[in-house]
Structure formats: C-alpha cells, structure tokens
Amino acid sequence: MTVSRKQINFLRGWPTPGLLPTTLLSSASQRVLANQDEYTKMQEYGSCHGVTRLRKGLADWVGSHYGVTPNLERICITGGASQNLVCILQCFSDVNYTRAVWVVAPCYHLACGIFEDNGFAGRLYAVHEDDEGIDLETFDRQLQEFENQDKPNRDLKPFKQPSVERKLYRHLIYTVPTCSNPSGLTMSLSRREGLVRLARKYDGLVISDDVYDFLQWPLTAPVTPDRSAEMRLPRLCDIDRSMGPSDNDSRGFGHAVSNGSFSKMSGPSVRTGWAEASPPFITAIARTAATRSAGAPSQLCAAMLADVVENGQLQRFVDETVRPTLQRRHRLMMDAIDRHLSPLGVKARTSSLNGFETFGGYFVWLDMGGEVSTTFLAQVLKAEENVIIGHGQMFAVHGDEKRTNFTNSARLCFAWEAEQDIVDGIERIGQLLVRMKQNREHYLRLASTSYNIH
Ligand SMILES: Cc1ncc(COP(=O)(O)O)c(C=O)c1O
C-alpha cells in the first residue's frame, strides 16, 4: 500500500505551537531590555549560580508547590535538564570510581547517550519497575550482587583530580519519577523513600529528571491551580533532605539531585532549567570550569523567565493553558484508544499514580499485545499509514536491552500533533491492526522476511 496521507507523528515529544507562550516572552523581553540596570547586567557574563531573581522566584514557587522551606542556596540555573546532566557527570562521576549507572526502564532514551558520551558506555544497567515504580527488592539485590562481583575494582584510583568541592559517587541512578517519559508512571511515596535509602546505602546519587512535575491534572475534573497531594509528591531531593546526613557523605552533598526544566512550560528553545540539591552540591555544579569561564547558561532567557515567574504570569500560563490543553489532548487520545484500539486487545496506562485519578506529562504507554514486535509494527505503520510511533525497544537501556522486554510496548505523545490528527492517527493504528488480524499470514511472513524484525 502506498502512502499519500499526511504524516502523523506520535514520536515527537515537543509542545504543540499553542503551548508556546510567545506573547508572554515577548513582553518579558521588552521589560528586561527596557531597564538599563537590568539589560546591561543580563547581556554581560552572569554569575555562576545564575540569575538571582530567577533562583529566588523558583525557590518560592517550588517551596509552595512541594511544601518545603524555600532556600536559594539549594538552586542554580542550568541550560536545561539535558545540559545539566552533563554538568552533574562532570562534577560527581568518574569513569574509574563510579562503577555503574542504573537506569529505570523503560527510560528516556536520549539520556543513555549522555551517559555514554561521558565514558559509561557498556556500564548502563536496567532497573525494573512495576505499577508503583522501582522494584526495590530486586534493585537492592542487583546492587549487592554488583558490589560482590566488582570487588577487584573497588580500589581503582579515580581518573579525575580529587577536589574538596566535589564528591564522587560509586553509583548513579537515573530516573524520571513523576509522569515518566516514556511510561507516564509516577513513583509512589514509599518507593521514593526506599530508593533514597538504597542510594544512601550504596553511595549512590539519584539523578531525578523532574521535568513534568508541574504538568499534572485530574483525569476528568476541571484543572485548577490547586493541586491535590498526589500531584505534589515530594521530590527525591526533598526526601533526601528530610533524612539528614548519611554515613557515606561526611561533607553533606546528599544523595539526590532534582533536574528541573522550563522546556515544557515556556518552550524548549529557552534552554533554561534549574538544579536543586544540597548547597555544596549546587555550588559544585555552579563551579564547573565551563560555568566559571562563561557564567551560568542562558543568562538572557533566565532574566526573561525571572520576570514572568516573579509576576506569576508563567504559573498562570501553566495552570490556565498548558495543563488544560494537555488534559484535553490526553482525553482525546484515551477516548480514541478506547474506541479503536481497546477492542483489539491494546491496553493503555490510564493514570500516572496507581490508585489515583491523575495523569501528567506528554506520553501514553501502550501494551499492544499482538504477535509481532512493536519494532515491526512501527515500520509497517509508517509504510502503510504514515503514522510514526515510538516502539518499546527504543526505551530499553542501551547495552542492557535483554534484561527488560518492551517488544510489545509503544509510546505515543499527545502534546505535539493537532487535536484532530491525534484522533485520526489512533484510528489509523486501529485500521492497521484490523488488517493485520485479517491478513495474519501475510504480516507474519513480512515480519520474518522483508523487515527482518520480529
Ligand atoms: C525525562 C526528560 N528529561 C529531559 C528532557 C530534556 O529536557 P531539556 O529540554 O530541559 O534539556 C526531556 C525532554 O523530553 C525529558 O522527557
């Protein structure tokens, strides 16, 4: 079948243009650039910790959201979550000393490459999760077994120069605990606490991409600025903070860092985010050599964001535009799935936090069932329906793909395509699944021959 239909892309994890706050940023830039005191400072090199007004605005915002005491010293401005992951690795990992990177699977696939670029290729290990989050017993066992067999490497000399301003961790743990990319899952409070305890026990650092925390909504009730407790679960860095000093950490760096981002709230192009952790941890990030040379990233955008965080416009945009838009799009996708895919045996995660009526983030995670892998399905969908999906194995941990099996899973983004295309795209997937059932032998043959993937 040849395709002439418009492409529908469920793989792209971008905000739809209506979620870009153009007017808001335009007026913020005019205010910043109209004020001579402000614009001169903002166009020069900035301080290492980043624009103070934004750090203060964020401390107040996250403080009231999570119910924690605002503390400017726990926050520095970054160039977004991806860029800051690199900074974290520069300061707190060492290819000799840091023995393993544990990645909760299915994972945000593009994070794997960042660890690999920093010397950890072949040392990424998948951590299994169930409907509540990380399976802690299995993870504890994995860590213990790893420690036992890794004994000969315990005394390897660190590759990097030791520094009193930094700490090297033996283990890194990468997770997206709230409305995860790709699974949509939110880790329960007890699993969060257990994870931090494991990080402390094994001298680990939890790197938590908290990029969807503010993007949560009730499944059916109208979106309001007030969020229920399950939409404000403590971050891993808050849990670590509440546990006080740990045995493996005499200098108080802590065992968890929150990697925040404006990408999903004010458009990814601002390339601005923030890190939150203990003050020594944050100072170390702020003093990476590149930041000392050039100042914190995204200085001018950070000044614009400081303006709209300080006057509350960004928070209102998130509550009045972003969350309701995502709620509506998610509903449209789920309704279309109920109509066109559920009768064919496809299952979708319906809520982010097990037992609660909430959802968040950008993605729906499907269990397609079926006899062929979603790797194959994705290829046929593109060829026959011009629909692009993220097939499950894309989100397996690089180098440890065999430990977890996502060959029946798929990720669909509801934030990018036009609303009608979301509905049409799901219908097209349904049409292909029906054809596959009706022409089973044909597609099984195709799966084992021309596409060579099953
Ligand atoms: C889990 C996760 N981390 C990081 C990013 C990228 O964040 P940033 O744009 O702040 O680099 C994304 C974007 O999709 C993401 O889903």
Side-chain angles (χ1 to χ4, degrees), residues 92 97 164-169 199-205 240-241 243-256 277-281:
F92 298 106
Y97 189 86
V164 288
E165 287 194 351
R166 296 178 177 181
K167 167 177 166 55
L168 297 177
Y169 292 84
R200 290 169 158 241
K201 178 173 164 189
Y202 291 97
D203 190 19
L205 169 68
D240 186 49
R241 182 185 183 183
M243 287 182 182
S246 90
D247 295 345
N248 279 316
D249 179 30
S250 56
R251 291 172 295 152
F253 284 91
H255 290 271
S278 70
F281 193 104

Side-chain angles (χ1 to χ4, degrees), residues 152-230:
N153 298 319
R154 265 206 92 83
D155 298 323
L156 280 182
K157 199 166 161 291
F159 181 77
K160 291 178 180 170
Q161 287 288 349
S163 158
V164 288
E165 287 194 351
R166 296 178 177 181
K167 167 177 166 55
L168 297 177
Y169 292 84
R170 291 202 89 78
H171 297 270
L172 301 176
I173 304 160
Y174 173 74
T175 178
V176 187
T178 303
C179 308
S180 171
N181 176 1
S183 69
L185 184 71
T186 292
M187 201 187 295
S188 71
L189 179 57
S190 64
R191 299 289 176 95
R192 286 170 190 241
E193 289 167 345
L195 175 59
V196 174
R197 276 195 291 272
L198 283 184
R200 290 169 158 241
K201 178 173 164 189
Y202 291 97
D203 190 19
L205 169 68
V206 186
I207 304 169
S208 177
D209 272 6
D210 294 332
V211 303
Y212 300 107
D213 282 36
F214 290 125
L215 309 187
Q216 300 184 65
W217 54 86
L219 282 182
T220 47
V223 174
T224 65
D226 300 322
R227 291 161 170 88
S228 50
E230 67 269 16

Side-chain angles (χ1 to χ4, degrees), residues 260-275:
S261 176
F262 286 100
S263 288
K264 312 296 186 200
M265 297 192 279
S266 61
S269 70
V270 295
R271 296 286 82 223
T272 309
W274 68 97

